[in-house]
Structure formats: structure tokens, C-alpha cells
Amino acid sequence: MTAHQPPQTVRANGIDICYEIFGNDNAEPLLLIMGLGAQMIHWDDAFCEQLAARGFRVIRFDNRDIGKSSHLSGGKRLTPFELLKLRFLRIPVAATYKLIDMAKDTVGLMDALGIKSAHLVGASMGGMIAQEVTLSFPHRVRSLTSIMSTTGNPRVPPPTREAAAMLMAPPPRSKEEFIVRYGQTWNVLRAGHFPEEEALDPGRAERVFARGLNPAGVGRQLRAVLASGSRKERLHGVRAPTLVIHGTVDPLVRPEGGKDTAASIPNAKLLMIEGMGHALPMRFWPEIIDAIDKHAHGAAAQAA
């Protein structure tokens, strides 16, 4: 059995961060950073356990404004007009906080847990946060794995119309509506037929709902992404061993986003997963976990 510490909350970077640890205290520390509007439990329990079984101390946490971490205030719902201004006129979006603040949350959590440096694995917005930690606090990063993420480069193709519409949809008004919406959302994001995932969606939605929703917080997170601009030029300076993982059919962060990330970071390895969308379905876990394991342990061996 893998060692497991149940969720607890710690004060870091001026906010409360809820986190959970799988694996032994003396194993290689590996932080999992989740994406836009996604609670830490979107890193599936079994996914975390399988990584821990490979010799990692796996730490997952709720980003600010989501789940059991601090909910902030301020900021208005994003309008399509603002998105058009950003896309065509390059007029930046106003934001309560930016990705650098979320990067400082991550480092603050590491400080609170007494972790000098760790392997970072970020998905989607979590990949952007992991990139920002690597850029701003390079000494804290043993290796970087950026999954279904991008550089913020405006030339990367936008989401499909269906994925964009889902992102901009008004929040559900009831638990029942949320559970239906959850299934619809992941069907779009997975970009394929995954009956084994669809069977689990209602239970997953129940668990997310029970931990608490914060639609205004998701809006602030989206603003943080859009207000943070492009990291492309800065990424040329990354020295941490980097692995980029992306699905070939991602409808939200298009495959070009992953390719642009890998092309921007010196010596980055790129793993394109055939048939994977903007999600981490169980059928792709063996390939993803193997790649993270090999990459992070390889980086640790080189540093030793």
C-alpha cells in the first residue's frame, strides 16, 4: 500500500492552500498542478497512487479560487467582446491576479512543506503555472512536465468553436444541472468515445460538487491566463529538463500549443499521444505515467 496523507490546509503566499500527499516522505517530490477551474481531484486518486508507486512523493493541491483553497474576490465575468479585443487588437484583459501569483502559491506550498526543489507536472493552465515557476524560480525545479498546455503565444490556433462555447457558458444553477454539464463538458474535452470514463463522470461530478464550486473564481483564473501574455521568448532560457505531453486531437489547447512549448524550450522532449484530447483518460495513463517516471527519475539521476 502507498503511504497517504489525507487532505489538509496550509497558509502559503497569503492564502490557504488545500493539498494531499501520496507516497513516502523520502521519495522524489513531485507536484501536480491542475488546470483552469479544475480541483486537485481531477488528478485521479489512482493516477496519484500509480505515480507514488514509481518512487515519488506526489503532492496535489487546489489552486487559489477553486475547491478547498482560498476563494478570492473581484473581477467581472469575461465577455466575448474582451476576448475579441485581446485577439485582434492585443488589448490586455484586466485581472485580479496573474499566473505569476499562482506560481508563487506553488512555491509557497513547497516552502510550507519544507521542499527545496521538486519535479513539476502541470496540466493545461497548470502547465502554464509550472512554466512560470520554472522561469521565475528555476532553483526550485528539478524537472518540468507540461501537459496539454501552451506558451501563451497568440499565434497558436484558438480552441474549437465547441470547446470555446463550453468555456464561456454561464455556470449551472443546480446540482442536477452541474452533473449533466460536467458529462457534456468532458465529452467535448475528451474528443472521442470513452465509455469507461463516461460511466465514472456522474460520481466524479458529485465529488467535485460536494467540495464546492466557485464560478467567479474560474472566471478570475481565466483572466489570469489571458492577462499573463506570452512566455515564448522567456522559455528559451529554461534549463530544467523538460517533457511536453500533448494529445493529437485536443480541442481546447490545440496540438500546436504543445509543439510550440517543446520548440521554445531548449532540449525539450515532445510526446504526442494519438487520440488524446484535453483530458487524461485512464487508457492513456500507462503511457503518461511511464513518460513522467522516466523523465523525472532521469533528471534526478543526472543531477545526483
Side-chain angles (χ1 to χ4, degrees):
M1 274 297 286
T2 307
H4 176 230
Q5 294 175 31
Q8 39 207 315
T9 301
V10 72
R11 195 82 184 158
N13 194 29
I15 62 167
D16 292 327
I17 297 180
C18 178
Y19 69 95
E20 188 172 6
I21 301 179
F22 299 81
N24 299 321
D25 286 350
N26 58 356
E28 287 278 328
L30 186 142
L31 258 73
L32 297 176
I33 311 174
M34 230 324 136
L36 177 72
Q39 298 180 10
M40 67 178 181
I41 56 174
H42 281 100
W43 295 110
D44 199 280
D45 297 9
F47 183 88
C48 297
E49 286 162 3
Q50 287 178 35
L51 275 172
R54 302 288 186 103
F56 294 106
R57 182 188 184 204
V58 178
I59 300 146
R60 66 179 180 182
F61 64 98
D62 285 326
N63 286 312
R64 59 168 63 199
D65 254 339
I66 200 78
K68 301 281 190 187
S69 289
S70 288
H71 292 186
L72 286 86
S73 59
K76 294 189 178 72
R77 195 168 162 73
L78 196 70
T79 63
F81 181 58
E82 278 180 288
L83 286 178
L84 287 173
K85 285 201 302 188
L86 176 72
R87 185 142 193 92
F88 296 107
L89 304 176
R90 300 277 180 268
I91 296 170
V93 162
T96 312
Y97 51 82
K98 293 185 179 179
L99 291 175
I100 182 61
D101 300 296
M102 302 181 84
K104 287 175 181 172
D105 295 345
T106 306
V107 172
L109 175 61
M110 289 169 66
D111 288 343
L113 297 176
I115 297 169
K116 285 197 175 70
S117 64
H119 303 282
L120 300 186
V121 177
S124 196
M125 179 186 75
M128 302 173 197
I129 296 167
Q131 290 171 27
E132 192 56 66
V133 175
T134 307
L135 290 165
S136 300
F137 307 94
H139 57 292
R140 308 301 297 265
V141 181
R142 298 185 189 188
S143 73
L144 167 64
T145 301
S146 181
I147 305 176
M148 53 193 175
S149 194
T150 184
T151 58
N153 176 3
R155 291 198 174 86
V156 167
T160 63
R161 190 168 290 178
E162 198 181 13
M166 195 200 64
L167 208 58
M168 300 301 287
R173 287 182 299 264
S174 66
K175 180 179 175 179
E176 291 68 32
E177 199 180 322
F178 173 75
I179 291 170
V180 170
R181 175 82 64 81
Y182 184 95
Q184 291 168 338
T185 298
W186 286 102
N187 278 348
V188 170
L189 292 179
R190 284 193 286 257
H193 189 44
F194 294 85
E196 66 282 10
E197 301 293 332
E198 289 157 24
L200 295 173
D201 281 344
R204 287 171 175 162
E206 291 263 4
R207 192 175 172 199
V208 167
F209 190 88
R211 294 184 83 245
L213 304 182
N214 186 25
V218 180
R220 283 188 288 274
Q221 288 185 352
L222 181 57
R223 284 182 175 276
V225 170
L226 297 172
S228 294
S230 175
R231 292 169 297 286
K232 186 173 174 64
E233 294 307 316
R234 293 163 65 216
L235 287 168
H236 296 332
V238 168
R239 294 294 169 260
T242 300
L243 168 66
V244 177
I245 300 175
H246 217 103
T248 58
V249 293
D250 192 327
L252 190 63
V253 180
R254 305 301 279 279
E256 289 83 356
K259 290 172 183 170
D260 191 51
T261 306
S264 303
I265 298 174
N267 304 313
K269 297 187 292 259
L270 176 63
L271 171 62
M272 297 299 294
I273 298 187
E274 194 59 46
M276 186 171 100
H278 199 78
L280 297 170
M282 292 176 286
R283 72 172 71 156
F284 299 125
W285 287 4
E287 195 175 355
I288 293 166
I289 290 169
D290 271 349
I292 294 170
D293 175 19
K294 196 170 154 189
H295 175 63
H297 279 308
Q302 270 185 321

